[in-house]
């Protein structure tokens, strides 16, 4: 989910472009897929939790597509990112050239319950010799909202955050059944819904912090579809949610594909000498 409060305040540009997205229910000729008219259950949530845990413990290649659309409009605004995720970090190359933008590199780490993002280039003016901006997303959420709001990070900031959001005690998960993906693989599909403000309350955001979060993002409900492959790991995640922006409310769709499980990846954080800290550059 592209969150304007997180995006604008850490100087990440929201991007636009024309692209089409396919997700789910594309069946090979002559194939059938089994589906169920189920309702959210704890059993479905537990089964998906197991697949999420297996995915978090793995190394994989990822491809992310972010699409924004005005309700009722035929054109879409979109961009892509590709990279690698590991159990405690990852890196992404975000390509906005199709919409007149450039290439942005990101490295993120997850350790001790903190999500830290490194990005280059950025629109902020950095001190001489610095080419990377470091943002402690956990610290940002606690300072602005009084609680951990890293679940607001978009798939192009950490592709695993949507899955972690489904672990929230307020998330509702439905076992949809077997479903085909466009690559002609049969997967098991789950559908989740999460009230973002309720999820924030569950992490300790209350009072003025919750009011500020509502002002920043509105009161969205995220709809998250997850396809789990035969390995018991996630193959695709699609997040759909209203997105509050300065141009009004847009419809967001993020599609993240996970492939190449077990791929070796050495993800290093940028050199400290080349990195500026966001909180040292901006007033509290």
């Amino acid at each position: 989910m592209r969150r304007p409060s997180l995006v604008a305040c850490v100087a990440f540009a929201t991007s636009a472009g024309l692209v089409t997205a396919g997700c789910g229910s594309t069946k090979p000729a002559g194939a059938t897929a089994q589906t169920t008219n189920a309702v959210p259950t704890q059993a479905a949530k537990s089964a998906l939790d197991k697949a999420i845990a297996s995915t978090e413990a793995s190394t994989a290649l990822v491809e992310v597509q972010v699409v924004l659309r005005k309700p009722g409009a035929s054109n879409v605004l979109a961009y892509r990112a590709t990279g690698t995720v590991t159990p405690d970090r990852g890196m992404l190359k975000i390509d906005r050239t199709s919409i007149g933008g450039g290439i942005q590199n990101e490295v993120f780490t997850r350790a001790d319950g903190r999500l830290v993002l490194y990005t280059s280039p950025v629109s902020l003016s950095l001190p001489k010799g610095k080419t990377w901006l470091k943002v402690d997303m956990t610290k940002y959420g606690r300072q602005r909202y009084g609680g951990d709001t890293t679940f607001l990070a978009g798939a192009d900031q950490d592709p695993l955050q949507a899955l972690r959001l489904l672990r929230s005690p307020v998330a509702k998960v439905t076992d949809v059944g077997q479903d085909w993906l466009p690559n002609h693989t049969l997967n098991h599909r789950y559908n989740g819904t999460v009230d973002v403000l309720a999820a924030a309350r569950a992490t300790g955001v209350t009072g003025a912090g919750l009011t500020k979060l509502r002002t920043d993002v509105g009161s969205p409900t995220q709809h998250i579809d997850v396809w789990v492959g035969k390995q018991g790991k996630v193959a695709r995640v699609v997040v759909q949610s209203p997105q509050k922006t300065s141009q009004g409310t847009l419809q967001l769709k993020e599609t993240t594909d996970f492939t190449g499980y077990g791929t070796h990846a050495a993800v290093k954080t940028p050199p400290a000498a080349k990195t500026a800290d966001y909180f040292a550059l901006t007033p509290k």
Side-chain angles (χ1 to χ4, degrees):
M1 179 177 180
R2 299 305 295 140
R3 288 82 181 179
S5 60
L6 293 181
V7 176
C9 291
V10 297
F12 303 136
T14 299
S15 307
L18 295 176
V19 80
T20 58
C23 73
S25 300
T26 300
K27 306 169 188 172
T32 59
Q34 298 177 353
T35 59
T36 61
N37 295 318
V39 295
T41 65
Q42 184 57 46
K45 194 170 189 298
S46 297
L48 182 56
D49 279 349
K50 183 177 180 180
I52 292 173
S54 179
T55 302
E56 290 176 330
S58 304
T59 298
L61 303 177
V62 293
E63 180 173 349
V64 179
Q65 179 178 265
V66 181
V67 178
L68 288 166
R69 182 195 302 270
K70 288 186 177 180
S74 58
N75 64 312
V76 297
L77 312 176
Y79 59 92
R80 293 178 181 272
T82 57
T84 306
V85 292
T86 75
D88 65 348
R89 62 189 58 212
M91 58 184 178
L92 291 170
K93 179 180 180 180
I94 305 172
D95 186 350
R96 299 185 175 103
T97 56
S98 63
I99 55 170
I103 302 293
Q104 188 173 42
N105 297 295
E106 289 187 354
V107 175
F108 53 90
T109 62
R110 296 179 237 92
D112 302 322
R114 307 187 78 85
L115 173 63
V116 179
L117 190 68
Y118 301 81
T119 186
S120 177
V122 295
S123 58
L124 282 179
S125 178
L126 299 181
K128 185 177 181 180
K130 308 292 186 181
T131 56
W132 289 84
L133 181 67
K134 173 186 175 182
V135 187
D136 185 329
M137 304 292 274
T138 305
K139 180 178 179 179
Y140 176 83
R142 288 174 178 166
Q143 284 194 359
R144 184 168 180 82
Y145 305 117
D148 185 359
T149 57
T150 51
F151 63 83
L152 291 173
D156 61 340
Q157 294 173 338
D158 180 358
L160 294 177
Q161 286 303 319
L163 295 176
R164 293 196 168 97
L165 182 56
L166 286 174
R167 286 183 154 178
S168 168
V170 305
K172 298 178 180 179
V173 178
T174 299
D175 185 338
V176 178
Q178 290 185 308
D179 192 24
W180 296 96
L181 285 175
N183 63 359
H184 302 329
T185 60
L186 185 61
N187 295 260
H188 203 95
R189 180 178 176 182
Y190 297 89
N191 173 260
T193 58
V194 188
D195 181 316
V196 168
L197 294 183
R201 282 194 293 268
T203 66
V205 179
T206 60
L210 195 64
T211 299
K212 186 175 292 185
L213 181 62
R214 183 183 291 109
T215 299
D216 286 345
V217 304
S219 302
T221 294
Q222 284 201 22
H223 297 270
I224 307 172
D225 283 289
V226 182
W227 286 259
V228 176
K230 293 180 179 179
Q231 294 178 306
K233 302 180 190 297
V234 172
R236 171 172 283 197
V237 181
V238 174
V239 179
Q240 298 189 72
S241 174
Q243 170 69 63
K244 187 177 180 181
T245 73
S246 59
Q247 288 77 41
T249 299
L250 304 180
Q251 186 61 35
L252 168 81
K253 182 176 182 180
E254 288 180 337
T255 302
T256 304
D257 289 310
F258 295 81
T259 59
Y261 278 104
T263 300
H264 174 71
V267 180
K268 297 181 179 180
T269 56
K274 296 288 186 180
T275 303
D277 191 309
Y278 168 76
F279 292 97
L281 300 178
T282 56
K284 185 175 180 181

